[in-house]
Amino acid sequence: MAYETSQPERSAVDALPGLVALDFGTNWCGYCRAGEPHIAGALKDYPDARHIQVEDGPGRPLGRSYRIKLWPTVVVLKDGVEVARVTRPDSADEVREALAKAVNA
């Protein structure tokens, strides 16, 4: 899966029901490519979670609204509210823990 250059509006993201993994990064980022299997591996355990990959960078309003500084950063939302985030994950367990916080919130 690739980071999408088109971005949803923040209001649309805030209105999403259920569990959402909002994944900020770029397709050319080495850290993003290294984190991809960890993120994907964790999401396999949460089949109901929506995974949205958003290309981030200067002037990208969605990333700025979440104050994203490093890639990849996965913002975990439950019913549009941020519950947890993981930056540059180096294991699937790290991402699983963030997803579990949302499920248990």
Side-chain angles (χ1 to χ4, degrees):
M1 198 170 179
Y3 289 97
E4 294 293 326
T5 55
S6 63
Q7 299 189 350
E9 295 289 326
R10 174 68 188 254
S11 60
V13 173
D14 291 343
L16 291 172
L19 180 61
V20 176
L22 192 56
D23 181 358
F24 291 93
T26 67
N27 295 317
W28 52 262
C29 167
Y31 291 107
C32 300
R33 288 194 300 259
E36 187 175 345
H38 305 308
I39 296 165
L43 284 166
K44 285 182 184 177
D45 295 339
Y46 293 87
D48 294 334
R50 184 182 309 200
H51 183 208
I52 302 172
Q53 288 184 284
V54 179
E55 184 176 276
D56 192 37
R60 298 288 184 140
L62 190 59
R64 302 299 62 76
S65 74
Y66 283 99
R67 295 185 174 101
I68 301 301
K69 302 277 189 215
L70 297 172
W71 304 323
T73 294
V74 179
V75 177
V76 178
L77 308 170
K78 182 174 183 180
D79 297 327
V81 177
E82 182 176 342
V83 176
R85 70 171 57 197
V86 179
T87 301
R88 293 189 177 168
D90 57 10
S91 74
D93 287 338
E94 195 175 356
V95 180
R96 274 189 206 98
E97 288 174 20
L99 292 164
K101 285 181 186 177
V103 169
N104 297 323

